[in-house]
Amino acid sequence: MMSGLNANPIIYHTKKQPQSRDRDDIDIEAFDENSVDPIDEAEIFDILRSVNDPEHPLTLEQLNVAQLDNIKIDHKRNRIAVNFTPTIPHCSMATLIGLCLRVKLIRSLPPKFKTDVRITPGSHASEDAINKQLADKERVAAALENAHLLDVVNKCIAHTDPLPEHLQKLLS
């Protein structure tokens, strides 16, 4: 096994989707378009839970890299902070995983939200350097200009939007 790779990761039990409020129970007649429905941590987790690991055919939830408890929202400042936990302290894919999470959030959330994606403190040997890369907008933009990296990111986040429950029922 090469250093930085986890050839045999632990696979964790995943919870039933979705974690967020059940949108199928909304009374459309009582809907008020002027009401405020703030996003919650469970909704952010639902956005991220099915992102695929770049190294394994598993989701970040299955690997316990993405966890509901590591998501914090500051509604006053429209900031969303996501910490992720690599499977090993020398994970060579940590920066790429962080990039995938950041891109998925950018593509899924309204532009009013500022997202911070960071490694869970104490979980990676190069935590500070990776966090610095993920926080640098210019570095992230440059990484996404690289066709190979963009292809890997797109593969990791492909098919991550869950089907509405009524469509899931049709397919089952």
Side-chain angles (χ1 to χ4, degrees):
M1 177 170 82
M2 292 176 14
S3 177
L5 298 178
N6 188 357
N8 193 17
I10 297 170
I11 301 172
Y12 294 83
H13 175 71
T14 59
K15 294 176 176 61
K16 181 181 177 250
Q17 290 186 3
Q19 289 282 326
S20 58
R21 297 174 297 238
D22 189 356
R23 301 286 183 182
D24 292 336
D25 292 338
I26 294 174
D27 179 5
I28 197 70
E29 299 299 323
F31 181 72
D32 177 7
E33 65 184 51
N34 296 318
S35 68
V36 176
D37 182 21
I39 195 163
D40 63 19
E41 288 82 357
E43 289 173 291
I44 299 300
F45 184 68
D46 283 342
I47 290 170
L48 300 176
R49 70 188 311 165
S50 58
V51 170
N52 288 311
D53 182 83
E55 187 178 18
H56 302 286
L58 301 165
T59 68
L60 297 183
E61 180 186 23
Q62 290 172 310
L63 294 170
N64 218 26
V65 171
Q67 302 169 36
L68 178 59
D69 292 342
N70 287 340
I71 299 170
K72 305 293 179 233
I73 300 175
D74 179 346
H75 290 287
K76 290 180 184 171
R77 296 174 51 214
N78 290 324
R79 292 183 76 106
I80 298 172
V82 174
N83 284 352
F84 68 98
T85 308
T87 58
I88 56 174
H90 295 282
C91 177
S92 63
M93 298 288 147
T95 306
L96 183 56
I97 290 169
L99 184 61
C100 292
L101 292 171
R102 185 156 176 187
V103 169
K104 180 62 180 168
L105 289 170
I106 289 168
R107 291 182 183 176
S108 301
L109 296 171
K112 73 176 186 174
F113 288 105
K114 163 95 171 79
T115 58
D116 296 312
V117 175
R118 302 174 60 82
I119 290 183
T120 303
S123 67
H124 196 278
S126 301
E127 171 187 334
D128 292 336
I130 293 170
N131 285 339
K132 185 176 180 179
Q133 288 178 335
L134 293 173
D136 187 330
K137 291 180 190 177
E138 291 176 9
R139 281 186 175 179
V140 169
L144 296 175
E145 288 177 6
N146 178 310
H148 175 70
L149 274 179
L150 182 59
D151 184 53
V152 173
V153 168
N154 284 334
K155 286 178 181 171
C156 289
I157 64 176
H159 312 294
T160 57
D161 294 323
L163 289 173
E165 191 171 320
H166 68 282
L167 292 177
Q168 290 178 11
K169 288 177 184 175
L170 287 174
L171 295 174
S172 57

